[in-house]
Amino acid sequence: MRLVAFAHTQADGPPGRRLGVEQPDGVLDLTDALGTNLGAVLNGHDPEAMIAEALAAADTAAEPPILSTEVRHLSPLPRPGKIVCIGLNYHDHCREQGIEPPAYPMLFAKFANAISDPGAAVVRPRATNKLDLECELAVVIGRRATQVPADRALEHVFGYSILNDLTARDLQREDRQWLRAKSWDGFAPLGPVVVTRDEIGDPGRLALRSSVNGETWQESSTAEMIWDVPSLIAFVTRSLTLEPGDIVATGTPAGVGHFHVPPRYLAGGDVMVCEVAGIGVLENTIVDEQPRADDHATAAGIAEPAGNA
C-alpha cells in the first residue's frame, strides 16, 4: 500500500487534512475510517488490520478515488515523536570526503518542527549561506522496538518514505554540534507517501537520486550503506526505544553540494528533488528569508553568525 496524507483541493469548504491510499487512478479517501493522523493509526492495536478493514469497506461502498489532479500531498507524519538520523552511513559519502567509515553508526536527531510538506517552500534562513540537501531513505516504525536483534528488526518497520535532511553547513561547523544546522524550521521535508514494508522488499537495493533545478547532485543506491536498515534499528534500540510513528533517517550518499568542487549551496528559487526507487519523488523549493524590522536576535544583543547573509 501507498499511504498518503493529502488535502482535497476541489472539496467543498476549506481543504483539510485527509488520509488515503494512492492507487493508479487516484487516491482512495479513508479518512472516515482512519481519521487524519497516521501516527495515531500506527499507535493503534493493529494498524495493518485497521487499514485493511478501511480498504475493504471502501471497496464495498464502491467509493470512487479522488483524481490525482485534485490532491495536494502533505507530510504523512507531521509531528513524529522522534526523528533519529544517521551520519556518515554511505561508503561513497565517506570516499568523497577522503575519510574512513566510522566504527559504529553516528546518531543525531532532528526535531518535529523541521518537518515540511511535499511541494512546500522551505525558507533559507539569513543565518546561513551554505544550505545543503541530503536525500535519504526514511524508515517509519510500526511497532514499539527495544533491544531488537537485527534478524527481527524489519518486523518493527511499517514502511518507508523519503526525507530531505537539509543542513546549514556553516552553522554545523561554527556550532561544533548539529542542532541548529539540522533542525531549523522546515529542514526535514518528508513524503510524498509511506510505502508499506511488503511492497519494498529489500530496502538495501534502492536507487536514490537528488537534483537541483534539474541537474543531478546525488545518484547512488542504498546498497552503498555501511549499516543496513536492520542493523541500524538494532543499534538504535540498544539505547533508546523506537515508538510507532518514529522515523529513522538512514543517511545520505555522495554528491551533496558541500563536497562538489567548488562547493555548491542552495539559494532562493532553487527547486530540490529527492527520489527513491519504489517510493516516489519529493520536491520542494527554496525561498530566502526576508529581513525583519523586529529582529529579535539583534534586539537582544545577540550577534548573528558569520554566515549571515
Side-chain angles (χ1 to χ4, degrees):
M1 287 182 291
R2 299 174 61 84
L3 288 159
V4 59
F6 68 99
H8 185 187
T9 59
Q10 300 302 313
D12 294 335
R17 182 180 181 86
R18 307 189 72 79
L19 283 181
V21 171
E22 193 175 77
Q23 298 182 329
D25 52 351
V27 173
L28 191 60
D29 191 348
L30 302 180
T31 307
D32 289 346
L34 299 180
T36 63
N37 186 344
L38 179 58
V41 174
L42 295 179
N43 274 280
H45 173 65
D46 191 342
E48 289 85 356
M50 185 177 178
I51 295 167
E53 288 174 9
L55 271 173
D59 288 341
T60 300
E63 293 287 345
I66 298 171
L67 296 177
S68 298
T69 54
E70 298 179 4
V71 167
R72 177 169 59 85
H73 287 83
L74 304 174
S75 172
L77 288 161
R79 301 296 295 179
K82 292 188 284 297
I83 309 171
V84 180
C85 304
I86 314 298
L88 293 175
N89 191 35
Y90 276 74
H91 289 287
D92 57 1
H93 190 36
C94 291
R95 288 194 299 269
E96 73 175 347
Q97 300 177 59
I99 61 175
E100 291 295 319
Y104 52 86
M106 298 174 58
L107 304 187
F108 64 94
K110 293 174 87 86
F111 294 157
N113 62 285
I115 294 289
S116 53
D117 293 328
V122 177
V123 175
R124 181 183 73 94
R126 291 184 296 123
T128 179
N129 285 323
K130 296 182 177 180
L131 183 61
D132 203 355
L133 61 73
E134 297 187 9
C135 178
E136 307 201 7
L137 173 68
V139 179
V140 177
I141 299 300
R143 289 175 53 198
R144 193 170 192 267
T146 302
Q147 301 285 335
V148 175
D151 61 357
R152 302 292 301 273
L154 292 184
E155 297 173 14
H156 296 262
V157 173
F158 176 77
Y160 303 94
S161 191
I162 304 171
L163 185 138
N164 184 352
D165 178 20
L166 286 161
T167 305
R169 300 295 184 191
D170 38 6
L171 302 185
Q172 188 178 29
R173 182 191 69 251
E174 291 163 8
D175 290 356
R176 291 180 291 180
Q177 51 81 25
W178 299 359
L179 179 60
R180 280 201 309 159
K182 296 280 192 178
S183 281
W184 209 286
D185 289 348
F187 273 22
L190 177 71
V193 299
V194 174
V195 181
T196 51
R197 185 184 75 225
D198 59 297
E199 290 206 7
I200 290 298
D202 183 1
R205 300 290 175 186
L206 303 176
L208 291 87
R209 179 179 179 271
S210 71
S211 65
V212 177
N213 302 328
E215 181 180 350
T216 297
W217 279 26
Q218 297 174 281
E219 193 156 22
S220 186
S221 166
T222 55
E224 283 282 333
M225 282 185 182
I226 298 167
W227 294 280
D228 62 12
V229 171
S231 299
L232 290 176
I233 292 173
F235 182 82
V236 169
T237 62
R238 289 178 201 167
S239 53
L240 60 98
T241 296
L242 292 172
E243 303 286 354
D246 285 349
I247 295 167
V248 178
T250 56
T252 202
V256 296
H258 189 62
F259 294 106
H260 285 211
V261 181
R264 306 174 71 177
Y265 301 106
L266 300 165
D270 286 345
V271 177
M272 309 173 290
V273 174
C274 295
E275 304 176 50
V276 178
I279 299 174
V281 176
L282 173 65
E283 179 177 316
N284 296 86
T285 300
I286 297 294
V287 297
D288 289 331
E289 181 184 18
Q290 299 302 306
R292 301 184 305 274
D294 59 339
D295 191 313
H296 299 296
T298 300
I302 301 172
E304 290 284 0
N308 184 41

